[in-house]
Amino acid sequence: MGSEAEEKKVFDAEAASSMMEKLRGSFSSGRTRSYEWRMTQLKNILRLCDEREQDIVDALRKDLSKPELESTIYEIGMLKNSCKVAVKELKHWMRPEKAKTSITTYPSSAEIVSEPLGVVLIISAWNYPFLLSLDPVVGAIAAGNAVVLKPSEISPATSSLLAKLMPEYLDSSSIMVVEGAVPETTSLLEQKWEKIFYTGNGKVGRIVMAAAAKHLTPVVLELGGKSPAVVDSGIDLQIAVRRIIVGKWACNNGQACISSDYIITTKDYAPKVVDALKHELEKFYGKNPLESKDLSRIVNANHFARLTKLLDDDKVSGKIVHGGERDKDNLNISPTILLDVPRDSLIMNEEIFGPLLPILTVDKVEDSFDIINSGTKPLAAYLFTNNKKLKQQFVATVSAGGLVINDTTVHLAVHTLPFGGVGESGIGSYHGKFSFDAFSHKKAVVYRSFAGDASIRYPPYTPGKLRLLKALLGGSIIGIIRALLGWS
């Protein structure tokens, strides 16, 4: 036991360098490139999920008091779906894509070959510590890379479980786990990677990007932001608020990057929205939600203090219209609704990442789009309306990582859609084939024979050659004929 603690303690830049040498050797051997290796690892992740489901649920309960349904469906189930898609489609993804050629290279053929980048680093987040650790790993393995996973130390039970299980189920010569906090992450970031995939907040995202820039390493940054939900009148309000609640409080008690960060609705409609939210929240979590077993707790004391500070801000403390109860000992905060929150308040100027839901009011619902676009681009944006023109305007004018009409968060489960941010909510995307592409290099290949060699590309250059080459580059058949005939 002491030697294990000592081994973890001494993971520094030297240890990281030694680990990289082993991984590079494994990758250079070609073992990760084969279809058979990739398929074996993906199937073993599925086996891990099936055989150790209870261990995973227990770890998530320890870290976040996460309800079993959320753990089973939103973490284990979604990861299994990612694996199943990769297993089903891998042969197709690996196949070279045919590409058209032009008359300038005739006769020729071309293709795009997806090749693995090399050794990649994945730094995951604490809020969905199982899914957000292994979902990118699925893409990295499918693409044929060697991988290092750094789980979040803020979810220590899940981090420890991953460090234990991954060597049991996966090829430990090519897929490794490093536990730890800032010193270990710093040592990892000092190494030269072929790609870094980071899920978390913008502050750390900037540190990751700065470290990557030293080696010109490309990055995928899955960050967050203030994801709005715009609520129009004339809708089925009960269904709308139920979907907002599920996307907010049933997603880790608001500790999710795509949960609704605030609502915008009209002044006239706001009272109805508040009443509907109160009614449905009581149905879901009872009169005393602090005692509900269906709500995750706040992850730690630091985040509890941060959320308390947002609530106690003088500008918003009098705006609470529902909830606000807190249990510091058990790190619980009840679902809380705040009405008519000032836009210059603290709660509206940072991502909430918790069970607090401010409501902004506008004179007409179209004004909400200007509010959204006046801030940084969010990871997600939601609109509830039956107005076709409003839907079109929302899609055309609101810039976000992803949009959903008349629901929240469900785009996450559509593997044919890219999931990622824009601007300060992230760089790059993944899920389904987008995960495979995120960890692949698209290599351009042109095939030619020795037939059809054209003297016009070789010196000495003449006016006739110039005319014909310009016509060939222009792609006009008439122009080529004129050049061949010597016409200007």
Side-chain angles (χ1 to χ4, degrees):
M1 193 154 167
S3 63
E4 184 181 342
E6 182 68 21
E7 187 180 338
K8 288 183 180 179
K9 185 180 178 182
V10 297
F11 188 88
D12 53 14
E14 185 179 346
S17 179
S18 175
M19 179 191 68
M20 289 293 291
E21 190 175 340
K22 293 175 185 174
L23 287 166
R24 292 208 181 282
S26 179
F27 179 76
S28 297
S29 74
R31 64 186 295 121
T32 68
R33 291 176 177 264
S34 74
Y35 171 80
E36 291 73 21
W37 182 89
R38 304 184 203 195
M39 189 63 75
T40 298
Q41 305 311 307
L42 292 171
K43 288 181 176 178
N44 283 348
I45 293 177
L46 281 171
R47 192 162 60 85
L48 182 158
C49 291
D50 288 332
E51 294 176 0
R52 308 310 287 265
E53 180 176 306
Q54 193 57 52
D55 293 334
I56 299 161
V57 168
D58 291 344
L60 293 168
R61 173 69 73 175
K62 285 179 185 175
D63 284 332
L64 292 149
S65 291
K66 192 168 284 200
E68 184 174 354
L69 183 144
E70 288 188 34
S71 297
T72 304
I73 302 302
Y74 300 150
E75 299 232 31
I76 301 169
M78 289 189 69
L79 178 66
K80 287 171 70 174
N81 284 344
S82 289
C83 276
K84 288 174 182 176
V85 169
V87 166
K88 181 182 177 183
E89 301 290 344
L90 183 59
K91 197 163 279 187
H92 173 68
W93 292 348
M94 290 177 67
R95 193 176 297 135
E97 303 170 44
K98 291 295 180 185
K100 289 183 178 180
T101 57
S102 70
I103 195 170
T104 54
T105 59
Y106 179 85
S108 66
S109 63
E111 63 185 12
I112 302 166
V113 175
S114 295
E115 66 175 5
L117 293 170
V119 185
V120 301
L121 172 64
I122 295 168
I123 305 173
S124 73
W126 56 261
N127 58 329
Y128 285 83
F130 184 73
L131 174 68
L132 296 182
S133 291
L134 290 183
D135 205 359
V137 170
V138 167
I141 289 172
N145 297 280
V147 187
V148 172
L149 170 65
K150 166 60 183 68
S152 174
E153 71 279 8
I154 299 176
S155 297
T158 308
S159 175
S160 177
L161 183 66
L162 287 166
K164 175 188 173 186
L165 295 184
M166 286 180 67
E168 290 182 19
Y169 285 85
L170 301 175
D171 177 4
S172 59
S173 70
S174 304
I175 304 164
M176 298 186 182
V177 182
V178 174
E179 286 195 277
V182 173
E184 290 78 9
T185 305
T186 302
S187 296
L188 288 170
L189 288 174
E190 288 173 359
Q191 309 307 309
K192 178 174 172 55
W193 306 88
E194 274 64 64
K195 192 146 203 176
I196 300 175
F197 188 111
Y198 168 74
T199 304
N201 62 64
K203 180 181 178 182
V204 178
R206 287 172 171 83
I207 295 170
V208 169
M209 200 168 182
K214 294 177 183 177
H215 301 289
L216 293 179
T217 298
V219 297
V220 173
L221 302 180
E222 294 294 336
L223 308 177
K226 298 191 72 64
S227 298
V230 178
V231 180
D232 191 16
S233 57
I235 60 172
D236 189 322
L237 186 56
Q238 182 187 34
I239 291 178
V241 299
R242 287 166 75 93
R243 291 175 178 178
I244 290 170
I245 289 169
V246 166
K248 177 72 172 179
W249 292 284
C251 282
N252 208 28
N253 206 4
Q255 298 169 112
C257 56
I258 54 171
S259 67
S260 302
D261 202 84
Y262 63 103
I263 287 175
I264 309 177
T265 192
T266 61
K267 291 181 174 68
D268 294 338
Y269 203 55
K272 291 182 180 179
V273 174
V274 171
D275 288 343
L277 282 166
K278 288 180 181 179
H279 181 71
E280 296 302 321
L281 281 168
E282 187 173 320
K283 283 169 65 176
F284 288 177
Y285 303 116
K287 292 186 180 295
N288 187 358
L290 292 181
E291 296 178 356
S292 173
K293 300 299 182 185
D294 295 325
L295 279 170
S296 301
R297 64 166 168 78
I298 307 307
V299 65
N300 59 27
N302 289 337
H303 280 274
F304 185 91
R306 178 184 62 80
L307 291 165
T308 297
K309 183 181 177 183
L310 296 182
L311 272 181
D312 290 343
D313 179 8
D314 289 340
K315 291 182 179 179
V316 303
S317 58
K319 303 289 186 179
I320 298 173
V321 293
H322 180 77
E325 298 86 10
R326 306 165 217 176
D327 179 351
K328 187 176 181 181
D329 293 336
N330 293 305
L331 299 179
N332 288 328
I333 299 176
S334 66
T336 302
I337 304 167
L338 305 97
L339 181 61
D340 281 325
V341 171
R343 287 175 61 189
D344 63 351
S345 59
L346 191 59
I347 201 170
M348 287 306 300
N349 283 280
E350 64 176 69
E351 187 179 7
I352 295 169
F353 224 71
L356 320 179
L357 185 60
I359 298 177
L360 305 185
T361 59
V362 290
D363 291 325
K364 59 182 188 295
V365 73
E366 290 83 359
D367 295 339
S368 60
F369 301 162
D370 292 332
I371 292 175
I372 297 168
N373 290 331
S374 68
T376 56
K377 296 178 180 182
L379 185 57
Y382 310 115
L383 170 66
F384 292 86
T385 186
N386 285 320
N387 186 318
K388 183 179 179 181
K389 185 177 178 182
L390 198 66
K391 293 176 189 177
Q392 293 172 340
Q393 186 181 350
F394 181 72
V395 172
T397 62
V398 171
S399 182
L403 305 178
V404 181
I405 311 295
N406 293 332
D407 210 332
T408 64
T409 71
V410 293
H411 61 303
L412 187 75
V414 183
H415 71 82
T416 53
L417 291 176
F419 179 80
V422 57
E424 290 197 24
S425 59
I427 298 170
S429 61
Y430 71 126
H431 287 185
K433 186 172 186 292
F434 300 99
S435 292
F436 177 87
D437 291 342
F439 291 101
S440 298
H441 165 60
K442 299 298 184 183
K443 184 163 60 179
V445 181
V446 175
Y447 298 94
R448 295 202 73 201
S449 72
F450 290 103
D453 194 47
S455 62
I456 60 168
R457 56 188 295 212
Y458 305 122
Y461 302 132
T462 65
K465 288 181 179 181
L466 176 60
R467 280 196 304 272
L468 185 53
L469 282 171
K470 286 173 73 174
L472 286 168
L473 288 172
S476 166
I477 297 297
I478 294 175
I480 294 169
I481 293 170
R482 291 174 65 89
L484 288 170
L485 294 172
W487 299 349
S488 59

